[in-house]
Amino acid sequence: MTRDQTGSNQVTSPVTNATTTGMTGGGFYNANSEPQWMAIEAVLDWLKNAVLEVPLDGKAPVTLADFGCSEGRNSIAVMSHALNTLLPRTDKPIQTVHSDLPTNDFSKLLQALRQDGVSVFDSHRVYSSVVGGSMFDQLLPPQSVHIATTFNAIGFLSEMPVSTLPGYILPNGPSASGQNGYVSEQDRATFSSLAKQDVASFLTARAHELVPGGKLLVQVFGGSEKGRTCDGIYDLLNDAVLAFVETGEISKETYERYYQPVYMRTENELTAAASDKDYASSEMFTLERSMTYEVPVPFVEQYERYGDIEAYVDAYVDFFRAFTEAVLRNALPPTPSREQLVEHIFGMAKDILRQSPERYPFRYVAVAMLLTRKG
């Protein structure tokens, strides 16, 4: 716990190079991560080709590492897809590494990896492990990884570069249609610079771990001129928090200090660390391909088809609660009523959405790149 300049207590992540303690656990993130899977599924062909191309020289086991595994639902599914291509290609033992912050709830992942003493991947040649640590640090031995992946997790920044963000709860600012807040151009530039440097730090750490010719697939929610993943969901969360600022249950000072340390990168911001010679990481990798794309959102499609507002409200708010709750809780004063206040904020978000769903449209925009480790 640290004390800021206002004298208020602010709980932060106990992990270096981390600004959250993780996703909401207890199976909640797993249950609300279908939109993330849709974004991952769109680049699975990239992963298949990477598995076919990666060199498998030497006698060491083949290692696949996923960074930002959370509770494991999507991480296990990604590994399963990779193994479908890899197992027929080699007789070597294979290790899957699932990594996230030490404060992450690994319980569901550990239960799923080896139920009844049998690997979830249905092969006696596959061995799985869990590694806790920040993805911006080297976590595995040098030249031990053949394929590394990360999906969505790199959207969380390594640090909070400003002490306050007084006009909105997200560095990218409100949606063009919402206009329920502001972020200064100076702050936007600060976060954009950090977002690119974070990718450089991530690439440098992975470069030490990957074998020459190893593959790195990076995918994360983002934005383009046509839209951003943050539009809608953060407008709604911002309005829900502001409702309690108006009642005095959240102070103005707390609101100004609270923001989600998440950044929606453009494709250029994602690839800069791999293509711009200003970053040392660009000398470590070859950028094979990149793209910006949009995927359908299941709960949006179901609402448009059936018009069930209650199902839509629950799915929509639970979706973003799964990755915003920890940061929100830790930004609130550690009073006995904090847990109740968190519940009320997400309850308020549901009430607001129920009354005006047209004000908070949600779309899922993603950016991705595939890299090869230079020899």
Side-chain angles (χ1 to χ4, degrees), residues 13 15-18 20-21 66-70 97-104 106 130-140 153 202 206 209:
S13 172
V15 183
T16 302
N17 293 331
T20 180
T21 53
D66 182 44
F67 297 88
C69 65
S70 188
V97 178
H98 308 261
S99 180
D100 212 310
L101 296 170
T103 49
N104 177 63
F106 288 103
V130 171
V131 174
S134 168
M135 61 163 47
F136 301 111
D137 298 327
Q138 182 179 343
L139 300 176
L140 300 171
F202 177 79
R206 303 292 78 77
E209 298 166 347

Side-chain angles (χ1 to χ4, degrees), residues 23-37 68-77 100 104-113 115 318-319 321-323:
M23 307 298 97
T24 301
F28 192 83
Y29 184 82
N30 272 354
N32 293 282
S33 59
E34 184 64 21
Q36 291 92 323
W37 175 250
C69 65
S70 188
E71 293 194 297
R73 173 183 180 266
N74 292 341
S75 185
I76 288 174
D100 212 310
N104 177 63
D105 182 357
F106 288 103
S107 58
K108 295 296 181 182
L109 170 64
L110 292 169
Q111 292 169 20
L113 282 174
Q115 296 182 10
D318 287 351
F319 162 68
R321 178 174 184 166
F323 52 83

Side-chain angles (χ1 to χ4, degrees), residues 33 36-48 50-51 64-69 72-86 94 96-98 109 113 120-121 126 147-152 216-219:
S33 59
Q36 291 92 323
W37 175 250
M38 301 296 288
I40 294 169
E41 193 173 38
V43 292
L44 286 179
D45 281 346
W46 293 17
L47 180 61
K48 179 178 180 179
V51 172
L64 312 178
D66 182 44
F67 297 88
C69 65
R73 173 183 180 266
N74 292 341
S75 185
I76 288 174
V78 165
M79 293 294 186
S80 294
H81 279 267
L83 290 168
N84 286 339
T85 302
L86 181 59
I94 299 168
T96 71
V97 178
H98 308 261
L109 170 64
L113 282 174
V120 68
F121 301 116
V126 178
I147 295 177
T149 58
T150 183
F151 302 98
N152 298 298
L216 174 57
L217 175 56
V218 180
Q219 177 272 326

